[in-house]
Amino acid sequence: MSNTPTDCCADPGQKLLSVEQGRKRILAAVSAIEATEQLHLRAALGRILCEPVVARIDVPPFANSAMDGYAVRSEDCPDSGAVTLEIIGSAFAGAPFAERVGAGQCVRIMTGAVLPDGADTVLMQEHVSREQGQIRCEHRAVQQGQNVRYAGEDTRRGDTVLPAGRRLGAAELGLLASVGVAEVCVTRKLRVAFFSTGDELASAGTPLVRGQIYDSNRYALFGMLSRPEIECYDLGVIPDRREAVRTAFREAAAMADMVLTTGGVSVGEADYVTETLGELGEISFWRMAMKPGKPLAFGHVGNAVFFGLPGNPVSVMATFYQFVLPAIRKMTGQQALEPLMIQARSSQNLKKAPGRMEFQRGILQRGSDGQWQVSTTGLQGSHLLSSMSRANCFILLPAEDAGATEGDLVTVQPFQDFST
Ligand code: AMP
Ligand code: MG
């Protein structure tokens, strides 16, 4: 522990840290939590698998019919002319036909029914004509194995069905059920405690006194943290007083794997986060080469990973998605850590000054040519939270660039990726 923050960037004259470098340092400094829990499938929805799941059966477990029709021996089917086959029984899904199909015979079969012994092919019912106890099969080409779904075609016994680190979505729950797995081992929920700092903050639902603003960060944070793999704890608004900030940190660090705060990380006179953290943990204060979101504190408080996010609401969301979410992904054992980035054509000129990477709020849509194009939401101040709500992506303008020109390809991060 040190009394002064171990910083690279508290001094405003010091170099800015790039977003990429910041994310790298953060990912190197956090590790996956080890605690796991065993859950029934439904309770595991959205959670992160902590060990690979290996199939103990073939899926499908037996060869079966892909169609309603007739199970036949392909060798009985004619190369020319027609043949009649005697129907000796029926096979329904869940009710197999018990005997063997012999020469000149066939079995009425429904989709999903076990392919009877002796048969190797299913003729679609639309392709044969039925006369009393027989079917008449024209010489049309019958391919051996037609309309048969083979055992193990989807998953083979012994196959790894899902790797560790996979989030269990709808398809994964279905897949696990298909191999008969009823319980899975997942990473225990990551505990994240958060609070806002600032004497100017009033909570929604109370009247505003002159000089106050409503605390929006705690609500946006609650929204961003409400994920199946997270248990979040809202510790409220902490006033800008040394003792209150210190107590809040102690309490948060004792209950959580990760502590998040907003506000108080710049160099204002009432910014006690900086000071308190030097006493309670090991924290770096970084000046990020990004806009919005220049000041960022990162480190440890007690055993918890700590992020001191800026105060302005858009900066909070931008830094959360660039730095906190990748850390959450790593700590919960997920594999894809970095935000998804795609290219889109800018439908306007985008202004910026060289120096910091900008995360402009964008609206991504398909142009008349079917290609992705993106435009900004308009004014880009870090206090304009409405811009986040209107947007469906960030437009990333590299630090060194002086903007983009209409028609340029620019990199965007769709917000949708942030929900996984
Ligand atoms: P700070 O970093 O504490 O100086 O805050 C920077 C700006 O963000 C100031 O204009 C604050 O009023 C504003 N701010 C800080 N915390 C919040 C919050 N929880 N909700 C809305 N705005 C905030
Ligand atoms: Mg403040």
Side-chain angles (χ1 to χ4, degrees), residues 1 27 52 54 56 58 89 93 109 135 144 205 220 235 245 251 266 268 271 287 322 325 334-335 339 351 404:
M1 290 212 190
L27 287 175
V54 174
R56 291 208 212 99
D58 282 341
I109 193 165
I135 56 166
Q144 189 184 3
L235 303 186
V245 172
E251 197 190 331
S266 39
D271 292 337
R287 291 172 66 239
Q322 301 313 312
L325 185 56
Q334 294 179 70
Q335 294 151 329
K351 280 200 289 193

Side-chain angles (χ1 to χ4, degrees), residues 409-420:
L409 274 181
V410 291
T411 300
V412 306
Q413 289 180 347
F415 288 172
Q416 232 175 339
D417 169 60
F418 299 146
S419 56
T420 62

Side-chain angles (χ1 to χ4, degrees), residues 196-197 200-201 213-218 262-266 271 310-313:
S196 298
T197 66
E200 75 279 33
L201 301 176
I213 56 166
Y214 283 120
D215 175 6
S216 56
N217 289 345
R218 255 167 65 230
T262 68
V265 288
S266 39
D271 292 337
N312 277 305

Side-chain angles (χ1 to χ4, degrees), residues 33-39 47-48 50 185-192 228-231 255-257 331-333:
I33 53 174
E34 276 164 20
T36 61
E37 57 184 325
Q38 193 81 10
L39 293 179
R47 300 291 294 276
I48 314 301
C50 65
C185 180
V186 298
T187 308
R188 89 136 154 75
K189 287 191 181 192
L190 186 75
R191 299 175 187 134
V192 183
E229 73 275 33
I230 290 180
E231 188 80 62
M255 66 164 62
D257 304 302
M331 291 177 78
T332 52

